[in-house]
Amino acid sequence: MSTFFLAVGLVMASVLGVAGAVALVTGRVALPWLRGSVTRPRLWGVGALLSAGGLAGMRLMPFEVDALLVLGGLVLMGASQSFGPRRARPDRTTTP
């Protein structure tokens, strides 16, 4: 069972790491279900990279350091969705 959680953690860390790096470089979130809710994609990318580092190193680091990295990343990812100007969504009820 421990190998299963190691494999799942590494896959999650890889996905978050790649998505975070893409968000930092391009300024756009690569995950389509998050594009509309993230107002600051580079802040989201930093948070994703922090969380990915915490997930990838959970076997190597003490729990306190690992939890601090993951929670710090989650706070930054949440802040990127909460703070900032809201984009106006196009009105889909009317036809052009």
Side-chain angles (χ1 to χ4, degrees), residues 59-74:
R59 299 284 177 160
L60 304 173
M61 293 183 272
F63 175 74
E64 293 83 9
V65 176
D66 175 52
L68 184 65
L69 283 175
V70 171
L71 289 176
L74 290 175

Side-chain angles (χ1 to χ4, degrees), residues 2-96:
S2 179
T3 306
F4 172 75
F5 288 116
L6 177 65
V8 169
L10 287 177
V11 168
M12 287 173 45
S14 299
V15 169
L16 275 175
V18 169
V22 167
L24 271 177
V25 171
T26 63
R28 187 169 172 217
V29 177
L31 305 173
W33 60 88
L34 286 175
R35 282 187 193 143
S37 63
V38 174
T39 57
R40 298 179 183 245
R42 292 206 163 108
L43 184 63
W44 187 89
V46 170
L49 285 175
L50 275 177
S51 292
L55 285 172
M58 74 178 145
R59 299 284 177 160
L60 304 173
M61 293 183 272
F63 175 74
E64 293 83 9
V65 176
D66 175 52
L68 184 65
L69 283 175
V70 171
L71 289 176
L74 290 175
V75 164
L76 289 176
M77 290 167 74
S80 72
Q81 294 179 349
S82 300
F83 302 124
R86 286 278 176 202
R87 291 188 213 137
R89 291 189 174 205
D91 187 17
R92 296 183 184 177
T93 58
T94 61
T95 57

